[in-house]
Amino acid sequence: MPARTNPLAEVLSVSIPKIFDQVQNTTANHQKNIVALYKIHIEASAFTESVHNGRAIKLTGERNFEDAFIDMVCRVLVIKKGASQAERVVKFVGTYTKYLNEKAAETKKEDEADGDDDDTTASRFVARLLKFLVNGFVAKDKIVRYRCVRILAEMVAHLGEIDEDVYMMLRAALIERVHDKETNVRVQAVVALSKLCGSEDASDVNEDEPTAVDVLLDTLACDPAAEVRRAALLNIPLAPHTLSVMLARTRDTDTVMRKLVYSQVLENNCLSTDHTSMGAAHPRGLSISQRELIIRNGLGDREPAVRAAAGSLLGTWVDVARGPTKAADDQAIQKDVIALLKFLDLHESTIAEDALLSIFATRVDIFEHLEFKDDYWRELTPERAFLARVFVEHCIATKDDAKLDASLPVVTHLAFQIQNAYNAYLDDIDTAASRDHEVSEEQLAQEEDARLDQEFIIGELLRLAVSLDYADEIGRRKMFQLVRDMISQEVLPESLVSRCLDILRTLSPNERDLIRVVVEVVHELRDRDAADEEAEAEKERAEVATSFGETPSAGPSSTQEGLRKPPREARPLSPEEQVRADALDLRCLSLCIGMLERVNGTFEENSTLEGILGELIIPSVKRKELALREKGLVCLGLCCLIARRMALNSFQLFLSQIQAAPEVLKIRVLQIVFDILMVHEGDFLGRSNAGGERIIEFLLHILSVEDADKVQALMCMGLAKLVLSGIVADERVLKSLVVAYLSPDTADNQELRQCLSYFFPVFCYSSSVNQRQMMQITMPLFEQLARATRELEDDQEMVSPAQIIGMFVDWTDPQKAFDVQGQKIDNGIHIDLATDLMKALFKDDMEKEEKKVLCQVLGRLHLPDTADDDKIRTIKLLIHNLGTRRPLRDTAAKNALAKFDAALSKKYADKLADFSEEEYRQLAALKDLFEFLDDIIPVDEGEEIELPKTRARKRRSRSMTTDTTTSGAEEGSPATSAASSSKPRSKGKGKQPK
């Protein structure tokens, strides 16, 4: 009897493969084949069978269609990524799912009278296909897992209405695939999950279960693959709670990732899709800290592409700063720039200035349309004053004289602007001081903000005044007198003192005139109190004389004047008077600091400084008040920079202040000390100076005992400058810097680590002499640091011995050394380093893992084309004797050493021809080497097995070496003899010699 056939299945087995065969070749026929496939699907769904005596029906046609469709999908699952035919089929499946659900939605809308039956042909097809794909998520084959997740990612945005159970199954499966070991699978899982999370309700998720968005954010922050992080960044919905994690990717290790944050996430979301409202990344919707983070990380990035993307974003911010709809007028661009500046903090940092300069450079149209006419200066705000000042400085930097001449105000006009702004500032202070009623805290805060804005405006105008052309004598005199009067007043804010001094330096013909003006002002400020007291005393004497019927004289005669000014006894000051006197001294010291920072001549050339040194600076250094003493020491330090004799006499004073001073004062004093050492190098650290070694010992002691992060960073920075400039060549300093760089105690001191991570490559690559100095300390430091890695506490972190020795090899690589004129590159540094590494392998007290690390790093050493014959023979002898006297027990170490030996023999085959240890013993140049080798007693097989014991065994071996060996020590690490390592075990830990 012939077998039963299913005519529908036969038809489907022909028609569906035909469609899939067409769609894999080109996407141009997809729409036609989608319609054709849909027609076949609907026709197949009409075939049903009655079951259970007609009480139910069996969807035979749908089942056959789904089987045929899934069979076609299975053909794609085994095809690797990159095949264009497979990608077209995947795209077709996603598009068909979309079309099918759209048709189902139209049918449901037309047939609303049938009720709310959600079980449709489309929903059944989608549910079965989803379950089939989810089963493939756990396939052993990574290609199948990738294709299943890839197809689902194409479908997930067009699933329509699916059952709750199917949704939860799909969500759980995707979250699991986000942690797949294959990068490609994780990428597609992230894409699918990001499309699915838009329909997720946080209330439906268990408290101990993360939401889909949380999983994606965790992937964005922590996934090791840049492709996965990139997919998460581009697909996670942008919202206030996801923005902070996205902004953190501006410091991502991947350049493309950082660029995408600016170009795709931030710039494309400044406005809504239809450009009628603000987007999620509009600068108005960001906080000040977020805006500054974006600008700082973008413009400060090392890659030009990222900086360009950040500049483009800032240009877009200018365009949208006033919103999507704005009135167009002649000053529209200027208003846009000012609106953007209102979003930034102009007072605290230079971020706003960097942003503005970037806009000028990338958006030339904005720069060209900025104009500063007379009406611009009438109502100054912080943003307007800031814009004018940065614009003028940019014109000067780019030498755009035409724009500069059109923008700079007249000197006299700007002087009156500064005067009016300063008078308004004084009026506000007087008004607040004379107020006789209490005001609310909110009003006080508003008044304080207004005063800060006024200070900022005056400061920007003063900075602008430095750039003016003072060919106009009248304007020059007006500006000079104005600035001199301003620094003569006690109420001048501290932040404006340096601005005024910059103008005085510009207007003064030489340094001597600048010093004379400032010294006069200091004397006026300090003598004003004395003059006021004298006037009050004169008034009292006049009143007493008048009461006796005497007529007070209109002016003192010469004899009366001599009697009027006897030496006055210093009367004790009241607390209020003392506070005012201290405030005056602080102001005078600030003036002196600003003046001395702008002086380049010697102290002896400016005798006017002698007065304030004895009357103001020295007494301030002796004061107990921290603020006065700090500024006094800074003044004295600046004087020492221009006075060699004073520096020699005062240096011990600064050193004595370091140990007992608070952290703030200690930082300032250390800055002074290092500045003095840099300026007067020969007087303190010269080779003929015996005190230089004591200074270095003192500084290294401070570095070793100091706990404060800022002080540690400053110490390392100062010592690094001294070493890099060649002032200090002490090996101890370089060792201390390496230890500070790699020590677990400085793991959280980012300032120190960043400074030294820049210093070591620059120091080593700048000179072969420096590389040799680093090579000489490599092995002693490696042993010390490797020992430290074994003694770490639970909460401490440190780089591994492999990374440590890798750093040294990289720093001493002669191929990276700069070609300095007059200095030949030393290509033999790694040859000498190889000798040191090989000798270290003979030590019994070195861990097996450390020996393996040393053997593996041998392959990274640079073997030059020409090398000293004796050095090559030395390395070959050490390798040969290591195998006979201290054979390695680790397979990886043996293989690495054999590989290096083969490379050495191949590279220097002519030098090592007819290798014979007996012949080499006759060479005088190798006498020291053979003495070293002869002191090492070979071990037998039994002893070889006993060597890799516990750490306690190693400690006992070292302690016994002190009893039995006195000549085997080399650079503080004694070489343990075989005899000592084979002592009986009867000595316990408690019997070790102390």
Side-chain angles (χ1 to χ4, degrees):
M1 183 176 179
R4 296 177 60 185
T5 61
N6 187 342
L8 177 61
E10 292 180 358
V11 172
L12 294 177
S13 65
V14 174
S15 57
I16 292 180
K18 183 179 179 180
I19 290 176
F20 272 82
D21 182 59
Q22 293 178 11
V23 300
Q24 72 175 342
N25 296 319
T26 176
T27 57
N29 59 28
H30 278 198
Q31 189 61 38
K32 178 191 73 172
N33 283 297
I34 285 172
V35 175
L37 186 63
Y38 178 72
K39 183 178 178 181
I40 295 173
H41 196 170
I42 295 302
E43 291 175 354
S45 65
F47 286 86
T48 58
E49 291 182 9
S50 297
V51 294
H52 301 300
N53 297 325
R55 293 194 300 272
I57 59 174
K58 184 177 180 181
L59 304 176
T60 308
E62 285 188 21
R63 186 73 177 181
N64 289 336
F65 178 87
E66 291 166 2
D67 289 343
F69 190 93
I70 290 175
D71 180 55
M72 292 296 102
V73 172
C74 286
R75 314 292 177 92
V76 182
L77 298 184
V78 294
I79 300 177
K80 292 182 179 181
K81 178 186 177 183
S84 58
Q85 294 84 355
E87 290 300 322
R88 294 189 191 104
V89 172
V90 170
K91 189 174 181 63
F92 176 77
V93 171
T95 310
Y96 179 70
T97 304
K98 178 183 178 182
Y99 184 83
L100 182 64
N101 283 301
E102 288 175 350
K103 285 294 184 181
E106 292 176 5
T107 304
K108 182 178 180 181
K109 189 174 182 181
E110 293 172 358
D111 197 15
E112 292 179 350
D114 291 347
D116 296 333
D117 186 11
D118 293 334
D119 191 19
T120 63
T121 299
S123 64
R124 290 190 290 270
F125 171 79
V126 170
R128 185 176 177 198
L129 184 57
L130 287 179
K131 290 178 181 178
F132 168 77
L133 293 174
V134 169
N135 288 336
F137 281 15
V138 294
K140 188 175 181 180
D141 190 342
K142 63 182 179 182
I143 300 175
V144 175
R145 294 201 308 275
Y146 165 73
R147 283 297 172 190
C148 288
V149 182
R150 173 74 182 89
I151 295 172
L152 183 58
E154 195 69 33
M155 292 174 53
V156 73
H158 318 296
L159 292 179
E161 296 181 359
I162 58 176
D163 186 69
E164 181 70 20
D165 294 337
V166 175
Y167 171 81
M168 297 305 294
M169 173 196 67
L170 182 60
R171 177 182 175 278
L174 285 175
I175 290 177
E176 184 179 0
R177 284 309 99 203
V178 165
H179 301 98
D180 194 281
K181 65 180 180 180
E182 294 298 325
T183 300
N184 294 332
V185 177
R186 297 203 303 275
V187 169
Q188 298 304 323
V190 165
V191 173
L193 189 60
S194 62
K195 295 176 182 177
L196 197 67
C197 68
S199 59
E200 183 181 55
D201 188 357
S203 60
D204 296 338
V205 181
N206 297 330
E207 293 183 359
D208 57 343
E209 186 179 358
T211 62
V213 175
D214 292 336
V215 173
L216 291 173
L217 292 177
D218 183 66
T219 301
L220 175 62
C222 303
D223 197 281
E227 298 91 336
V228 181
R229 299 198 302 274
R230 211 174 297 155
L233 178 73
L234 296 177
N235 290 280
I236 292 177
L238 189 61
H241 64 283
T242 63
L243 184 61
S244 60
V245 181
M246 291 185 175
L247 293 183
R249 294 301 94 205
T250 57
R251 301 295 289 172
D252 196 278
T253 56
D254 181 57
T255 302
V256 178
M257 186 80 173
R258 301 196 301 273
K259 180 182 176 182
L260 289 176
V261 176
Y262 290 95
S263 59
Q264 297 296 320
V265 176
L266 295 174
E267 188 169 357
N268 289 350
N269 290 280
C270 285
L271 295 177
S272 59
T273 308
D274 55 2
H275 292 268
T276 59
S277 60
M278 293 194 309
H282 192 280
R284 191 185 301 275
L286 304 174
S287 65
I288 290 181
S289 60
Q290 287 176 332
R291 291 191 286 264
E292 291 191 347
L293 175 73
I294 292 169
I295 296 171
R296 179 173 58 250
N297 291 348
L299 298 183
D301 198 278
R302 69 174 72 90
E303 294 294 334
V306 181
R307 294 198 297 272
S312 176
L313 172 65
L314 290 173
T316 304
W317 278 8
V318 173
D319 296 334
V320 304
R322 288 196 291 158
T325 58
K326 54 189 177 183
D329 54 26
D330 295 338
Q331 298 181 341
I333 291 181
Q334 193 175 86
K335 291 179 180 177
D336 289 342
V337 177
I338 291 174
L340 175 62
L341 291 176
K342 289 181 179 178
F343 294 149
L344 304 175
D345 186 1
L346 307 180
H347 298 263
E348 296 297 330
S349 65
T350 61
I351 291 176
E353 183 173 348
D354 295 337
L356 201 51
L357 291 174
S358 174
I359 292 169
F360 291 160
T362 57
R363 292 286 300 273
V364 182
D365 56 318
I366 294 177
F367 177 74
E368 293 295 336
H369 284 83
L370 289 178
E371 295 180 349
F372 301 93
K373 299 180 180 179
D374 293 341
D375 57 347
Y376 181 87
W377 305 95
R378 289 173 188 162
E379 294 182 2
L380 284 176
T381 62
E383 292 78 21
R384 294 167 76 89
F386 179 81
L387 174 60
R389 194 264 303 171
V390 176
F391 183 88
V392 168
E393 291 184 353
H394 180 69
C395 290
I396 295 173
T398 57
K399 298 182 180 179
D400 192 343
D401 296 333
K403 294 289 290 183
L404 183 63
D405 293 339
S407 306
L408 278 177
V410 180
V411 176
T412 308
H413 177 261
L414 184 61
F416 279 109
Q417 286 284 347
I418 297 173
Q419 183 175 335
N420 293 336
Y422 186 63
N423 288 338
Y425 175 79
L426 295 179
D427 291 341
D428 289 347
I429 291 179
D430 293 339
T431 301
S434 60
R435 186 186 296 125
D436 56 357
H437 61 279
E438 295 184 359
V439 295
S440 63
E441 293 184 1
E442 183 178 355
Q443 184 176 349
L444 286 174
Q446 292 176 354
E447 292 178 355
E448 181 64 24
D449 291 341
R451 277 198 293 273
L452 290 175
D453 287 344
Q454 287 177 318
E455 285 184 27
F456 184 80
I457 293 171
I458 297 169
E460 292 302 298
L461 293 177
L462 290 171
R463 294 180 69 177
L464 178 60
V466 177
S467 305
L468 295 181
D469 182 7
Y470 288 99
D472 177 19
E473 183 63 21
I474 297 175
R476 192 192 73 83
R477 290 182 180 180
K478 172 65 179 174
M479 185 66 74
F480 182 86
Q481 190 60 43
L482 171 65
V483 174
R484 191 196 184 286
D485 291 342
M486 288 175 66
I487 63 173
S488 301
Q489 297 191 8
E490 304 172 33
V491 293
L492 180 71
E494 187 82 16
S495 59
L496 300 181
V497 172
S498 60
R499 310 287 181 224
C500 293
L501 291 173
D502 286 335
I503 298 177
L504 284 180
R505 181 178 60 177
T506 303
L507 296 177
S508 301
N510 51 55
E511 290 182 355
R512 183 170 297 180
D513 280 2
L514 172 64
I515 294 172
R516 177 183 55 78
V517 172
V518 175
V519 170
E520 286 177 359
V521 171
V522 168
H523 284 307
E524 288 177 11
L525 287 170
R526 287 175 59 82
D527 293 345
R528 196 171 294 165
D529 278 348
D532 292 343
E533 292 174 10
E534 189 66 32
E536 291 179 5
E538 178 63 26
K539 184 178 179 181
E540 291 176 3
R541 286 196 293 271
E543 290 176 354
V544 172
T546 305
S547 65
F548 282 94
E550 300 176 1
T551 303
S553 58
S557 63
S558 59
T559 55
Q560 289 174 332
E561 187 175 357
L563 295 173
R564 275 186 60 222
K565 292 186 178 180
R568 293 186 297 111
E569 295 183 4
R571 65 180 182 83
L573 299 177
S574 64
E576 294 80 6
E577 292 173 334
Q578 186 64 52
V579 169
R580 186 171 182 274
D582 291 346
L584 273 175
D585 284 347
L586 285 173
R587 165 50 53 83
C588 294
L589 289 170
S590 297
L591 286 171
C592 292
I593 291 173
M595 172 194 65
L596 291 168
E597 286 174 345
R598 291 159 177 80
V599 170
N600 294 318
T602 63
F603 193 88
E604 290 77 10
E605 293 174 355
N606 301 285
S607 57
T608 319
L609 294 172
E610 293 283 357
I612 59 171
L613 177 66
E615 296 176 6
L616 176 64
I617 298 176
I618 298 300
S620 298
V621 172
K622 298 177 179 179
R623 293 288 294 271
K624 294 181 179 179
E625 291 80 5
L626 183 61
L628 282 169
R629 187 150 56 101
E630 178 185 347
K631 289 200 172 186
L633 287 168
V634 172
C635 278
L636 183 60
L638 290 170
C639 289
C640 290
L641 295 183
I642 59 175
R644 172 181 170 276
R645 185 176 300 173
M646 189 185 303
L648 292 172
N649 295 331
S650 305
F651 193 75
Q652 189 59 42
L653 168 67
F654 294 122
L655 294 182
S656 64
Q657 294 285 332
I658 293 176
Q659 289 180 313
E663 181 179 342
V664 177
L665 186 59
K666 187 180 295 185
I667 291 174
R668 300 308 297 268
V669 175
L670 282 172
Q671 290 172 339
I672 295 167
V673 167
F674 283 117
D675 285 346
I676 292 175
L677 292 176
M678 291 289 291
V679 172
H680 305 289
E681 47 180 294
D683 296 311
F684 294 99
L685 299 175
R687 294 182 178 179
S688 60
N689 195 318
E693 186 173 348
R694 291 198 298 271
I695 294 174
I696 295 300
E697 288 178 356
F698 176 79
L699 294 176
L700 293 179
H701 171 72
I702 295 296
L703 177 61
S704 63
V705 301
E706 185 57 52
D707 294 330
D709 286 352
K710 288 186 177 297
V711 178
Q712 283 182 341
L714 181 60
M715 289 292 305
C716 288
M717 197 179 303
L719 291 171
K721 286 181 179 179
L722 294 174
V723 173
L724 190 59
S725 60
I727 297 174
V728 172
D730 196 321
E731 191 178 86
R732 295 172 300 170
V733 177
L734 193 58
K735 283 184 176 181
S736 298
L737 290 176
V738 174
V739 171
Y741 181 51
L742 300 175
S743 171
D745 298 329
T746 63
D748 298 327
N749 194 341
Q750 296 301 319
E751 187 178 359
L752 181 148
R753 292 286 178 101
Q754 187 174 10
C755 166
L756 294 180
S757 65
Y758 174 80
F759 161 73
F760 285 119
V762 172
F763 170 75
C764 292
Y765 302 155
S766 61
S767 169
S768 292
V769 176
N770 295 344
Q771 283 190 322
R772 182 157 292 278
Q773 187 177 359
M774 181 65 76
M775 184 274 297
Q776 291 169 351
I777 65 172
T778 294
M779 287 316 302
L781 277 180
F782 172 75
E783 294 174 12
Q784 177 184 345
L785 293 169
R787 188 162 52 249
T789 60
R790 302 194 299 266
E791 299 170 356
L792 289 177
E793 297 180 2
D794 295 338
D795 58 342
Q796 288 183 321
E797 295 180 358
M798 188 176 175
V799 294
S800 65
Q803 292 171 302
I804 294 171
I805 193 63
M807 289 180 189
F808 282 112
V809 170
D810 183 68
W811 291 337
T812 56
D813 188 351
Q815 299 177 100
K816 297 184 178 181
F818 298 141
D819 192 2
V820 182
Q821 187 176 4
Q823 186 180 105
K824 188 178 179 181
I825 294 179
D826 187 354
N827 286 311
I829 292 177
H830 271 184
I831 295 294
D832 294 335
L833 181 59
T835 303
D836 293 344
L837 292 174
M838 290 304 307
K839 287 183 178 180
L841 294 175
F842 284 88
K843 296 184 178 180
D844 290 337
D845 59 347
M846 182 172 286
E847 294 279 344
K848 183 174 71 172
E849 285 299 317
E850 294 165 13
K851 288 189 177 182
K852 182 175 78 170
V853 165
L854 294 183
C855 290
Q856 290 173 336
V857 86
L858 285 171
R860 294 172 53 185
L861 299 180
H862 169 63
L863 301 178
D865 295 332
T866 58
D868 184 83
D869 294 0
D870 292 334
K871 292 182 179 180
I872 300 300
R873 292 165 183 163
T874 297
I875 299 175
K876 186 66 176 177
L877 282 168
L878 288 170
I879 295 174
H880 176 71
N881 280 270
L882 183 67
T884 58
R885 298 172 186 270
R886 290 292 184 271
L888 298 171
R889 293 171 295 278
D890 184 83
T891 305
K894 288 180 181 179
N895 293 338
L897 184 62
K899 187 175 180 181
F900 175 71
D901 187 17
L904 188 76
S905 300
K906 181 180 179 181
K907 185 81 171 180
Y908 306 107
D910 55 336
K911 300 179 186 296
L912 299 175
D914 301 326
F915 172 79
S916 171
E917 183 174 341
E918 294 301 324
E919 292 181 6
Y920 288 169
R921 281 186 177 274
Q922 309 303 321
L923 299 177
L926 301 181
K927 180 181 178 182
D928 293 340
L929 172 65
F930 282 106
E931 288 180 357
F932 167 78
L933 294 174
D934 292 341
D935 286 341
I936 300 173
I937 302 175
V939 295
D940 57 28
E941 293 300 322
E943 290 169 326
E944 182 182 345
I945 296 172
E946 293 295 327
L947 278 173
K949 285 298 180 180
T950 62
R951 202 171 297 170
R953 172 69 179 269
K954 294 184 178 69
R955 287 196 298 266
R956 182 171 65 252
S957 176
R958 285 198 299 269
S959 66
M960 285 186 282
T961 304
T962 59
D963 294 336
T964 60
T965 307
T966 58
S967 61
E970 187 172 339
E971 294 184 357
S973 299
T976 308
S977 64
S980 64
S981 62
S982 59
K983 290 279 185 181
R985 296 189 182 184
S986 59
K987 279 191 176 183
K989 187 175 179 181
K991 296 183 180 180
Q992 290 184 6
K994 298 182 180 179

